[in-house]
Amino acid sequence: MDDIEIPRYFLCPISLQIMKDPVTTVTGITYDRESIEQWLVTSSPSENAVCPVTKQPLSRTADLTPNHMLRRLIQAWCTTNAVDRIPTPKSPLHRSILLKLIRDLGRSDREGFLHVNALKKLDELAGETKNHQVMAEAGVPKAVALFVLRCVKEGRISGLEEGLRVLQRTWAPTSENKRLLEDNLDFVKSMSWVLSSDLENAVKTHAAVVLKNVLEVASLGLKERLELDFFRQMVKLLHGNTISQQGVRAVLHVLIKTCPSGRNRTKIVEAGAVLEVIEMELCNPEKKTTELIFCLLALLCSCADGRQQLLKHAGGIAVVGKRLLRVSAAADDRALCIIESIARFSATREVVMEMLRVGAVSKLCMVLQADCAAYLKKKAREILRLHSNSWSNSPCIQVYLLTRYTR
């Protein structure tokens, strides 16, 4: 096939491969279904998804219209050029099939066979990204969430892994799901029970991701009812290899989402989160995890207890300074917030000298010279001015960076 010229419009703009199931977005661009769905799923949750070609906004649940004409042209071209013919895509999933499976989940089933079979079928359907939207619209997440809640209350684990996996894959923050879970402390406790159990790591990872999704839509009242033991359990999950890296990131999200409440920040600090995440960061090679750790530390360092715990760790200031300018703009922003909190509110003479000794001050000077956002430079300059009298006499930094701007 290397010597056959493939028509340009047969290729997916994302994968650059011949499209097997061409679909057109609302922006008018045609992609292979698998590629564009994966693009929408993996887009950063903190940013709006965009069309890869036009850069126009694109909803994560955007309608993808099958391009039957283009698919038939591709199939005809494959036949003419003796290229393996792309198969005709499966028919769309019918809502009636899902409604029957949902009814099966809700029926009384002492032996559990009916529930297990329904969950296996739902799990199989959820394995295809193109089914997620129709499953969410049919009410699958709500039905599975209620099933999981019953399982935990009755102490049953049969079907729990499949249920959590389906819930993770098909979850959408719809009004129906919000009504069910935004103030449902029992469901949060059920996920906590799974995470504290002896179940396999895969099951715990699903539970951690589901818990993260639920807390993203949870009410402030629910978050404020979380007890210290809940946070101790979350921090414990960060230690060792009890869950996967995906699960660790989900737990960090859980702690971040519950931080807006001042009482929760105190509980998270008391649970040992500051010391634990610093230890994690000392041996963490992953960018996404570092960004989450720094986001959590910045929130916790907004309270005196959090700053005290960071300073208590011998490598606290050092690791923050070391990661500055080495990870991402998001990590730089959070690192500067941490350093600023320390410099403004916990700057004893010993702390000011330690910031100089471990290289944090030198890194602040490097920010002023680096090719980074203007607001980061401004923040670094403000921090340097706070203790310029103590730092300007040191040969470790360039004095002109402190005296270049009027105070």
Side-chain angles (χ1 to χ4, degrees):
M1 188 171 168
D2 293 339
D3 56 347
I4 300 176
E5 184 177 353
I6 304 172
R8 180 172 55 83
Y9 53 89
F10 285 2
L11 301 177
C12 172
I14 297 175
S15 67
L16 301 181
Q17 302 296 318
I18 294 179
M19 289 183 277
K20 298 178 181 179
D21 186 6
V23 293
T24 304
T25 65
V26 293
T27 61
I29 306 298
T30 299
Y31 302 92
D32 192 34
R33 182 186 290 276
E34 183 179 355
S35 297
I36 187 61
E37 287 182 340
Q38 188 64 23
W39 169 274
L40 294 173
V41 167
T42 56
S43 296
S44 173
S46 61
E47 301 173 1
N48 294 324
V50 296
C51 173
V53 173
T54 67
K55 305 304 179 186
Q56 292 177 302
L58 197 61
S59 170
R60 298 178 197 281
T61 58
D63 290 332
L64 303 175
T65 306
N67 193 329
H68 298 298
M69 178 62 74
L70 181 57
R71 176 174 53 79
R72 285 193 286 268
L73 286 172
I74 294 173
Q75 288 177 329
W77 180 86
C78 289
T79 301
T80 302
N81 290 275
V83 176
D84 290 342
R85 189 173 185 272
I86 63 170
T88 300
K90 296 179 182 178
S91 300
L93 177 61
H94 288 289
R95 186 184 180 93
S96 58
I97 295 174
L98 297 173
L99 294 178
K100 180 185 180 302
L101 293 171
I102 288 173
R103 285 195 297 272
D104 288 346
L105 272 184
R107 287 175 180 167
S108 176
D109 183 23
R110 290 186 179 180
E111 300 298 327
F113 297 131
L114 188 64
H115 293 163
V116 170
N117 288 336
L119 282 168
K120 285 183 177 179
K121 183 61 178 175
L122 287 170
D123 192 20
E124 180 184 339
L125 293 171
E128 298 185 47
T129 309
K130 65 180 182 180
N131 293 332
H132 291 178
Q133 185 176 349
V134 66
M135 293 178 78
E137 292 172 351
V140 170
K142 177 182 178 180
V144 175
L146 292 172
F147 171 80
V148 168
L149 192 54
R150 289 199 307 272
C151 279
V152 173
K153 285 183 176 180
E154 297 169 9
R156 292 188 290 114
I157 61 172
S158 177
L160 194 57
E161 180 176 0
E162 292 84 355
L164 288 170
R165 184 162 54 236
V166 171
L167 191 53
Q168 176 186 342
R169 288 173 168 174
T170 62
W171 170 262
T174 61
S175 56
E176 182 181 45
N177 291 338
K178 287 180 181 179
R179 282 195 300 272
L180 174 66
L181 297 173
E182 67 180 353
D183 206 36
N184 195 330
L185 186 59
D186 285 343
F187 188 84
V188 173
K189 288 181 176 179
S190 71
M191 292 302 96
S192 181
W193 178 85
V194 174
L195 289 168
S196 64
S197 68
D198 295 327
L199 295 171
E200 295 181 357
N201 284 0
V203 183
K204 291 185 177 182
T205 296
H206 296 319
V209 176
V210 168
L211 180 59
K212 172 188 79 76
N213 292 337
V214 170
L215 285 173
E216 285 177 349
V217 301
S219 67
L220 181 60
L222 183 146
K223 293 175 184 177
E224 290 181 338
R225 297 203 304 274
L226 296 174
E227 298 176 353
L228 178 59
D229 285 345
F230 171 84
F231 295 111
R232 282 177 173 157
Q233 184 187 351
M234 293 300 108
V235 172
K236 187 177 179 181
L237 288 167
L238 299 175
H239 184 73
N241 298 312
T242 53
I243 51 176
S244 67
Q245 276 299 308
Q246 183 188 17
V248 167
R249 288 193 292 271
V251 170
L252 288 170
H253 272 292
V254 166
L255 294 173
I256 291 168
K257 292 297 178 184
T258 52
C259 254
S261 166
R263 282 179 289 182
N264 281 352
R265 280 198 293 272
T266 302
K267 292 175 186 175
I268 294 170
V269 172
E270 188 177 345
V274 174
L275 298 178
E276 187 60 50
V277 297
I278 291 174
E279 286 295 326
M280 283 177 61
E281 185 54 36
L282 288 171
C283 56
N284 167 58
E286 293 194 357
K287 171 185 170 182
K288 289 182 179 179
T289 306
T290 293
E291 289 176 345
L292 291 171
I293 286 174
F294 275 47
C295 182
L296 179 61
L297 282 175
L299 290 168
L300 297 179
C301 283
S302 65
C303 67
D305 291 342
R307 295 191 296 273
Q308 183 182 24
Q309 288 298 305
L310 184 135
L311 294 173
K312 184 178 178 180
H313 193 291
I317 296 176
V319 74
V320 175
K322 185 177 181 180
R323 294 294 188 266
L324 195 56
L325 296 178
R326 288 192 175 186
V327 182
S328 67
D332 292 342
D333 178 70
R334 297 297 87 194
L336 287 173
C337 284
I338 296 166
I339 295 173
E340 183 179 26
S341 293
I342 298 295
R344 283 190 185 277
F345 306 113
S346 302
T348 62
R349 177 171 175 76
E350 291 75 16
V351 169
V352 171
M353 290 298 103
E354 182 182 358
M355 292 175 72
L356 186 64
R357 180 174 55 80
V358 299
V361 178
S362 297
K363 270 298 185 70
L364 291 172
C365 294
M366 291 175 65
V367 171
L368 297 183
Q369 302 173 82
D371 182 20
C372 60
Y375 81 95
L376 294 177
K377 293 175 182 285
K378 181 180 178 182
K379 188 176 289 188
R381 190 176 301 122
E382 289 173 351
I383 298 170
L384 285 168
R385 287 175 181 169
L386 289 173
H387 304 288
S388 57
N389 291 334
S390 299
W391 294 332
S392 59
N393 295 326
S394 171
C396 300
I397 61 175
Q398 299 180 37
V399 177
Y400 81 89
L401 290 172
L402 295 173
T403 58
R404 190 174 175 182
Y405 303 92
T406 58
R407 297 179 189 175

